[in-house]
Amino acid sequence: MAAVTLDPLSAPLPHTGVLAQPAPSPVLRVNQLAVTYYTDLGRARALDDVSFTLNAGQKLGMVGESGSGKSTLALAMMRMIKPPGRIEGGEVFVGDTELMGLNEEAMRRARLSKIAYIPQGAMNSLNPVIRIGAQMVDAVKAHLPGESRAAIQDRCRQALRSVDLDPGVFNMYAHELSGGMKQRVCIAIGVLLEPSVIIADEPTSALDVVTQCQVMETIDRVQDQIGAAVILIGHDMGLMAQFVDRVAVMYAGRLVEISSVREMFTDPKHPYARALISSLPNLDNRGVFQGIPGLAPSLLRIPSGCAFHPRCPFAMDVCTTVRPEVLELAGGRRVACHLFDEEARHG
Amino acid sequence: MAELLELRGVSKVYTRGLTHSHPTVALREISLTLKEDEPTILTVAGESGSGKTTLAMLLLGFISPTMGEILYKGRNITTLTGPERLAYRREVQAVFQDPFAVFNPFYTVDHLLTVPIKRFKLASTRAEARARMEEALNAVGLRPEDVLGRFPHQLSGGQRQRINVARALLLKPRLLIADEPVSMVDASLRATILETLRNLQRDYGVSIIYITHDLTTAYHIAKSIIVLYRGGVMEAGDVDRVIKSPQHPYTQLLVDSIPWPNLEQRWGEQSIMARESTAPPPGACPFMPRCPKAMPVCASRPPLFQINPHQAAACYLHERQPQLVAEKLSELLPA
Ligand SMILES: Nc1ncnc2c1ncn2[C@@H]1O[C@H](COP(=O)(O)OP(=O)(O)OP(=O)(O)O)[C@@H](O)[C@H]1O
Ligand SMILES: Nc1ncnc2c1ncn2[C@@H]1O[C@H](COP(=O)(O)OP(=O)(O)OP(=O)(O)O)[C@@H](O)[C@H]1O
Ligand code: SF4
Ligand code: SF4
Ligand SMILES: [Mg+2]
Ligand SMILES: [Mg+2]
């Protein structure tokens, strides 16, 4: 495993304002991205003005309650939101290219070559009746119009090798592979065109710990080779602690905190992040279940003010009426909570 | 004392693999007893392909054993008919691994929940049916208005997984087989759902077989654990002892690979050999090709050796200890 960047200052976070000039130019900038699902029961604001940046080579962990909008965020960045969902606004820059403004054809080419998404449950979406190799070739051939079929196949075999799979897997079917092998095939497809951003949505949640370890090492290694930035979406805080540099926490469609992994685990700021960290199991508190009381809010009726206020032990009057904006604290970590209004003003 | 469930020397061999010309022993001579009046939570752990789901499918009667027999309340489950079969179908429920695969995409959540209510006549009025549905959804942290009326693809991964758990809760079974029920939810919800399951065991006397590769949750919810590798029992016993002081090299690898949410405890110092490339020689200890402590004697399959009253391991490192016959495995497992 690569060493984790523990010093928050070594990875300064730019302001998210559109005009702010980031110091080491980030490879990914997401500004005010918003998605709504128009359901029969009403409008569900699944993603509410989410902004963050990521530098080349950085690993960001994206955590948050089930249904908080993590997969929606990934799909929106890929412009893969399907009706009844709609991207309501926002920008996504990969390098200098702004994805939301591209025409369909240019966006199709940007997928996989600039930004790749390994979807939740990807390994179950491999086609059972088509050989792995043919599926890989299919995924990339449109991106490589000038290349011969043999050259593309070579590339695919190379990609399999880069995720530690025998090139013979090229001729096999999905059911002949274990879960971990299938997941590595999906990663191989994701990295084939050496994108600058890789989004992996729960890549290991169906795998055992030993295989998990192998898959994460694989991601780590290919990331090193191609210098990509990685967004790891997941629930496993253990995995996050072992793998990412920074952690972003989502709640009800908003980013409520983004901090270095060390800050997040030792001194989480947002009350939801604190509750999440204290719900983690360890060997000393067997049988103690510290779930966060209350239910996640309905996206159809997001509570006024701070969406967490009905469940928050620190809620104040202001929390029920005024929505907390994302504020930057000393050291570059960011948090959206009224408890830090003062600190941010003076910091 | 009546037995709820009894496995007698159960093996499952798959012969019809499409590409594997040689048969796969998915489960090897498993004997196990769960008592009716001692509801417990038993974890079955092991890596991918170790036979966990095969065991679940056998217990549910979806597939039948190649050898041995499975008894439910003293009756072989393959011979159950009529009302006994219906009772077994209701009393033994499952929560499955893959929330993406189990649901028919054309049925709404309401449909998924009302079918069992109707089939097993769990409510006499519509209002009562609705109330039971809401109660079950609340228990897994879902708001009825958020999920009822929706189709599976309109739910997040974790929401789908929880619908599964809610369905099982609705039926208040005697035995719940939960195959990776919380792999796709966050730590807080995981805690909430596991607590719900534990309360089900404690307050309603439901026995639970918790199938997982996640030893941290196993440690928190279960009383006892069986560690499988390539279909065989490697180690079994009290969950506290097995996880805090694993005695089989395979269990040691598993425990060492746990990604702890702790920055000071780095991940997996032992280097890992891929399972794919490590078929053991015939008749040998199945873990031998990956075992850092393999010895010549390991070329024959080790029996279980009993290390203490609540722990046994199938490994020659413990050959000084008394052997444990496989049929007595359950005596190690605290209820
Ligand atoms: N096609 C859809 N139609 C309506 N609502 C949807 C649709 N897809 C997702 N949603 C809703 O949007 C919200 C966010 O879903 P999303 O899949 O992004 O969550 P998530 O954070 O990835 O959750 P998980 O951790 O469970 O995968 C959820 O409340 C979900 O029910
Ligand atoms: N229908 C089948 N035909 C042939 N072989 C099978 C079949 N089902 C399972 N197997 C094989 O039996 C072994 C045990 O599989 P099983 O699904 O029980 O593992 P598992 O422990 O549940 O793994 P995972 O953690 O990946 O779910 C594997 O080697 C698998 O390839
Ligand atoms: S803004 Fe108020 S309610 Fe929201 S998390 Fe902070 S203290 Fe709690
Ligand atoms: S019996 Fe031998 S090969 Fe098998 S686990 Fe023990 S030491 Fe390793
Ligand atoms: Mg998701
Ligand atoms: Mg399984």
Side-chain angles (χ1 to χ4, degrees):
Chain A
M1 299 250 88
V4 173
T5 313
L6 295 175
D7 178 5
L9 296 175
S10 68
L13 282 171
H15 291 272
T16 43
V18 188
L19 298 173
Q21 276 303 311
S25 137
V27 59
L28 174 72
R29 278 184 293 147
V30 175
N31 280 324
Q32 310 275 305
L33 197 55
V35 172
T36 304
Y37 290 107
Y38 292 82
T39 71
D40 292 346
L41 293 175
R43 281 188 279 173
R45 185 81 153 158
L47 205 61
D48 192 354
D49 293 346
V50 167
S51 304
F52 64 94
T53 64
L54 203 54
N55 293 339
Q58 260 194 345
K59 285 178 287 224
L60 174 70
M62 189 68 72
V63 302
E65 268 177 322
S66 166
S68 60
K70 303 178 298 297
S71 298
T72 300
L73 171 62
L75 290 168
M77 290 168 65
M78 300 296 291
R79 280 184 43 193
M80 282 160 56
I81 295 284
K82 295 204 184 82
R86 201 165 81 195
I87 298 178
E88 307 284 23
E91 297 167 311
V92 176
F93 286 92
V94 176
D96 299 329
T97 313
E98 200 284 305
L99 303 180
M100 299 297 129
L102 296 179
N103 64 34
E104 279 303 325
E105 174 54 25
M107 184 61 217
R108 211 175 47 73
R109 270 181 281 128
R111 291 189 195 115
L112 278 190
S113 63
K114 288 190 186 302
I115 182 166
Y117 175 52
I118 303 165
Q120 195 167 0
M123 60 184 199
N124 302 313
S125 62
L126 289 172
N127 190 318
V129 296
I130 301 178
R131 289 181 198 276
I132 297 295
Q135 297 188 55
M136 296 180 79
V137 172
D138 268 356
V140 295
K141 66 170 186 248
H143 290 273
L144 304 164
E147 230 169 275
S148 72
R149 199 170 172 87
I152 295 178
Q153 289 182 348
D154 256 8
R155 233 181 224 274
C156 294
R157 291 209 175 80
Q158 196 54 47
L160 288 174
R161 225 169 279 137
S162 75
V163 296
D164 253 347
L165 287 173
D166 187 298
V169 167
F170 192 84
N171 293 318
M172 293 170 78
Y173 291 99
H175 69 260
E176 298 176 275
L177 307 176
S178 73
M181 293 168 83
K182 283 190 278 188
Q183 197 56 275
R184 274 182 280 159
V185 167
C186 295
I187 296 168
I189 296 174
V191 301
L192 251 172
L193 301 175
E194 312 202 341
S196 359
V197 179
I198 302 170
I199 310 173
D201 197 347
E202 307 213 12
T204 63
S205 61
L207 304 172
D208 61 83
V209 284
V210 178
T211 316
Q212 249 177 21
C213 200
Q214 288 169 340
V215 168
M216 296 317 291
E217 275 171 5
T218 304
I219 296 182
D220 211 54
R221 198 156 29 76
V222 291
Q223 176 198 25
D224 262 3
Q225 282 163 14
I226 64 180
V230 169
I231 299 179
L232 175 69
I233 298 177
H235 290 299
D236 192 330
M237 294 301 279
L239 212 62
M240 296 292 167
Q242 301 294 331
F243 185 73
V244 303
D245 310 317
R246 283 199 295 155
V247 181
V249 181
M250 297 211 34
Y251 188 81
R254 299 192 73 210
L255 255 181
V256 296
E257 176 164 354
I258 181 163
S259 296
S260 76
V261 67
R262 175 154 300 263
E263 290 164 331
M264 190 61 81
F265 278 89
T266 54
D267 178 28
K269 292 289 189 198
H270 193 280
Y272 171 70
R274 291 188 209 172
L276 189 64
I277 296 295
S278 53
S279 70
L280 297 178
N282 60 52
L283 282 182
D284 306 322
N285 61 354
R286 174 153 179 232
V288 179
F289 298 99
Q290 286 235 20
I292 303 170
L295 297 185
S298 165
L299 295 180
L300 299 169
R301 279 185 313 282
I302 293 184
S304 62
C306 171
F308 190 55
H309 86 251
R311 299 168 76 186
C312 180
F314 307 97
M316 308 163 281
D317 286 344
V318 60
C319 304
T320 60
T321 51
V322 182
R323 185 176 106 155
E325 293 310 320
V326 180
L327 301 171
E328 183 163 330
L329 306 183
R333 58 195 302 198
R334 294 190 297 138
V335 56
C337 167
H338 289 305
L339 292 174
F340 304 95
D341 285 354
E342 280 299 304
E343 191 176 333
R345 212 167 293 137
H346 301 298
Chain B
M1 205 182 307
E3 260 107 43
L4 184 64
L5 182 78
E6 202 182 344
L7 278 78
R8 292 192 185 151
V10 171
S11 296
K12 179 69 191 175
V13 183
Y14 289 109
T15 44
R16 277 186 307 132
L18 273 169
T19 48
H20 312 274
S21 43
H22 50 90
T24 308
V25 182
L27 217 54
R28 183 187 295 270
E29 290 166 41
I30 306 289
S31 295
L32 192 64
T33 308
L34 296 182
K35 297 217 163 63
E36 198 161 1
D37 51 0
E38 286 176 8
T40 186
I41 303 182
L42 166 69
T43 287
V44 177
E47 67 185 14
S48 183
S50 57
K52 305 184 298 293
T53 299
T54 300
L55 178 63
M57 305 291 260
L58 284 166
L59 294 179
L60 291 162
F62 293 168
I63 54 177
S64 36
T66 313
M67 272 182 306
E69 52 183 4
I70 301 174
L71 310 181
Y72 182 71
K73 294 185 174 168
R75 301 283 309 267
N76 189 321
I77 60 170
T78 55
T79 62
L80 293 176
T81 50
E84 277 179 339
R85 189 173 166 78
L86 193 68
Y88 163 75
R89 281 263 167 263
R90 176 186 163 175
E91 289 170 10
V92 181
Q93 286 299 319
V95 177
F96 274 116
Q97 196 166 18
D98 179 9
F100 289 86
V102 289
F103 294 138
N104 183 325
F106 302 111
Y107 288 148
T108 60
V109 169
D110 314 43
H111 184 88
L112 292 164
L113 296 178
T114 43
V115 165
I117 293 182
K118 285 196 186 130
R119 178 151 177 235
F120 299 113
K121 304 192 176 57
L122 301 177
S124 42
T125 64
R126 280 184 88 96
E128 197 191 335
R130 174 88 191 180
R132 299 211 53 177
M133 233 150 76
E134 295 190 349
E135 184 194 0
L137 289 170
N138 280 327
V140 295
L142 288 172
R143 282 169 199 276
E145 73 263 30
D146 275 355
V147 294
L148 293 179
R150 294 237 191 141
F151 291 96
H153 72 270
Q154 296 176 318
L155 302 169
S156 77
Q159 285 168 335
R160 263 181 282 204
Q161 208 167 33
R162 282 181 282 157
I163 302 281
N164 256 329
V165 178
R167 193 178 167 281
L169 294 181
L170 205 58
L171 291 163
K172 300 238 166 67
R174 294 302 319 275
L175 175 64
L176 180 66
I177 296 158
D179 191 350
E180 298 287 3
V182 293
S183 58
M184 289 199 198
V185 301
D186 60 275
S188 155
L189 253 179
R190 213 173 264 187
T192 307
I193 295 178
L194 291 175
E195 191 175 11
T196 309
L197 291 179
R198 193 202 46 197
N199 294 347
L200 203 61
Q201 180 254 336
R202 199 182 53 197
D203 304 337
Y204 296 95
V206 181
S207 277
I208 299 175
I209 296 185
Y210 177 57
I211 297 180
T212 189
H213 60 257
D214 180 1
L215 297 180
T216 48
T217 54
Y219 175 76
H220 280 269
I221 187 179
K223 298 215 165 67
S224 48
I225 185 169
I226 291 181
V227 179
L228 292 180
Y229 182 70
R230 287 183 172 267
V233 177
M234 296 298 108
E235 182 158 359
D238 177 273
V239 77
D240 197 54
R241 287 176 195 264
V242 171
I243 291 182
K244 281 203 172 145
S245 165
Q247 296 298 318
H248 192 286
Y250 176 59
T251 323
Q252 286 163 358
L253 170 66
L254 284 183
V255 172
D256 185 58
S257 304
I258 297 175
W260 290 104
N262 178 348
L263 298 168
E264 316 310 328
Q265 204 168 337
R266 297 323 292 183
W267 200 359
E269 298 297 313
Q270 279 188 49
S271 76
I272 295 163
M273 222 187 282
R275 182 179 57 95
E276 294 86 52
S277 53
T278 52
C285 166
F287 192 57
M288 189 172 103
R290 291 169 75 182
C291 183
K293 307 209 172 108
M295 314 166 272
V297 59
C298 308
S300 73
R301 202 179 170 95
L304 281 165
F305 296 101
Q306 181 161 1
I307 292 153
N308 60 52
H310 291 294
Q311 191 171 13
C315 170
Y316 288 116
L317 294 173
H318 305 284
E319 68 182 324
R320 297 246 176 84
Q321 309 301 327
Q323 278 192 28
L324 180 79
V325 284
E327 294 73 45
K328 301 232 160 162
L329 187 69
S330 291
E331 290 172 16
L332 288 179
L333 308 176

